[in-house]
Amino acid sequence: MDPSRDIARLIEIMAALRTPGTGCPWDLEQSFATIAPYTLEEAYEVADAIARADMGDLREELGDLLLQVVFHARMAEEDGAFDFGGVVEAITAKLIRRHPHVFGTARDLSPEAVKGLWAEIKAQEKRERAQARGAAGLPVEEAQQGALAGVPLPLPALTRALKLQEKASRVGFDWNDARQVLAKIREETQEVAEALEEGGTAAIKDEMGDLLFAVVNLARHAGVDPEDALRGTNDKFTRRFGHVEHRLAAAGRRPEQASLDEMEALWQEAKQKEREGA
C-alpha cells in the first residue's frame, strides 16, 4: 500500500491491520477499553504541539488522533454497531443541527444569542437521547438528565471542575463576583490548616479537594483556563529547577548535595534572569 491523502486509504489500512490471519497481532488483540488510554494520550499530544506552536508536530499528532477515531470505528464496524461513515454522518448532522444561524433560518444572531441557542439545542438532544435509551430498555441515570449532565468522568479533574461550575452557573448557582470566590478560598485554606493540625488523611484530602475546586472557580471568574494556567506553572517550575541543576552541575554537585538555602538562592537567581529577559 502507498501513502495517500484520501481518508479511504487510512480506513483500508486499519481494516488490513485488523484482518485475522494476515493483520497485526497487536492491533488484533485490542479492544475499545485498551485503546481508550491511547486516545486520551494522543489528544494531549495534540494540545502539547499547539502549545509549542510546532506545526510539523501538530500535523503528525492530528494524524495519530485521527487514527484513534478510525481504530474505534473499525472495531465498531466489526461488532456491527457503526462504521467510519456513520461517525462522519453523525458529526455532520450535529453541526448542521446546532448551527441553524448558518445552515437554517435563524439569521443575524448575536454571539450571546448563538451561545444560548447552542445550549438549548444540546439540551433538546440530551432529552431525546434519554427518551431513546428509555425506549430501548437501557438505564437512564438521574444525573445524566440534570443540569450537570454531559460532563465526562475521564476528564482531567481541573477541567471537569471547570465544566461542572460552568453548567451550574447557567442555572444561577454561582458567585456574583471574583471577590466572593477569594473569600471562599480563604475559608477553604483555613479548613485545610485545621485538617493538617488534626492529622486525618481523609479530612486533609477532602479539604484539599474543596480548596482546589474553589481555585478553579476563581480562575473561571477571571477568564483563565485552570488547566492551561497550571500547565504554564509546571513549565515554569521545570525551567527554573533546570537552572538550579545546571548551576550546581557546573560546580560538580547534584541537588541532593546542596542545602535548601543554596537551591532557593539559585531559584531566585533563575527568577531574576527571567525578569531581566522579559
Side-chain angles (χ1 to χ4, degrees):
M1 278 189 177
D2 296 321
S4 172
R5 298 175 67 91
D6 190 343
I7 186 66
R9 180 55 57 84
L10 178 58
I11 295 171
E12 289 174 4
I13 292 172
M14 191 70 253
L17 292 173
R18 290 279 299 182
T19 300
T22 59
C24 171
W26 186 88
D27 288 281
L28 282 164
E29 70 178 6
Q30 301 311 308
S31 66
F32 293 110
T34 62
I35 289 296
Y38 295 103
T39 307
L40 293 172
E41 181 181 331
E42 296 301 348
Y44 283 122
E45 290 183 358
V46 166
D48 177 63
I50 292 171
R52 292 183 286 104
D54 189 327
M55 291 298 103
D57 269 7
L58 179 58
R59 183 187 68 172
E60 295 294 324
E61 298 303 344
L62 285 171
D64 290 344
L65 184 58
L66 177 58
L67 173 62
Q68 297 300 305
V69 178
V70 171
F71 206 140
H72 284 288
R74 176 62 194 181
M75 290 186 291
E77 184 177 1
E78 293 167 1
D79 289 346
F82 58 82
D83 60 8
F84 184 80
V87 174
V88 175
E89 182 180 25
I91 188 59
T92 53
K94 182 184 292 184
L95 288 172
I96 293 169
R97 183 172 61 251
R98 292 186 180 179
H99 293 83
H101 53 293
V102 177
F103 304 110
T105 57
R107 300 288 176 170
D108 302 320
L109 299 180
S110 68
E112 197 59 34
V114 168
K115 188 176 179 180
L117 182 59
W118 179 280
E120 182 181 322
I121 293 170
K122 284 186 67 176
Q124 177 60 31
E125 290 173 350
K126 288 174 186 174
R127 287 192 293 270
E128 291 173 354
R129 280 200 300 271
Q131 291 171 358
R133 288 180 65 85
L138 298 172
V140 181
E141 297 178 8
E142 184 178 346
Q144 292 179 316
Q145 304 176 62
L148 302 182
V151 182
L153 282 170
L155 284 175
L158 290 181
T159 299
R160 188 161 189 266
L162 176 65
K163 291 187 177 296
L164 289 170
Q165 292 168 7
E166 288 173 342
K167 283 182 174 286
S169 178
R170 289 178 195 146
V171 296
F173 191 72
D174 199 2
W175 301 105
N176 292 326
D177 61 58
R179 286 170 295 184
Q180 292 176 304
V181 186
L182 275 173
K184 183 64 176 175
I185 288 174
R186 295 188 189 101
E187 175 189 325
E188 296 297 351
T189 301
Q190 179 58 37
E191 291 180 1
V192 168
E194 292 170 1
L196 287 170
E197 190 69 26
E198 294 171 3
T201 303
I204 294 171
K205 177 182 177 182
D206 187 59
E207 297 301 344
M208 284 297 302
D210 290 347
L211 176 58
L212 289 169
F213 195 84
V215 171
V216 170
N217 218 337
L218 179 61
R220 180 175 62 87
H221 277 269
V224 173
D225 183 331
E227 195 75 34
D228 186 52
L230 185 56
R231 188 180 300 115
T233 297
N234 288 341
D235 290 342
K236 181 168 58 180
F237 181 88
T238 302
R239 185 172 61 250
R240 290 177 181 175
F241 193 77
H243 173 83
V244 172
E245 289 183 308
H246 177 75
R247 292 279 279 110
L248 287 172
R253 303 168 68 201
R254 298 188 303 276
E256 57 268 31
Q257 296 172 316
S259 69
L260 180 57
D261 288 342
E262 288 178 288
M263 288 191 284
E264 175 61 23
L266 293 172
W267 179 274
Q268 293 301 324
E269 180 180 279
K271 286 180 65 175
Q272 184 60 36
K273 289 187 66 174
E274 288 177 1
R275 292 193 193 100
E276 294 171 355

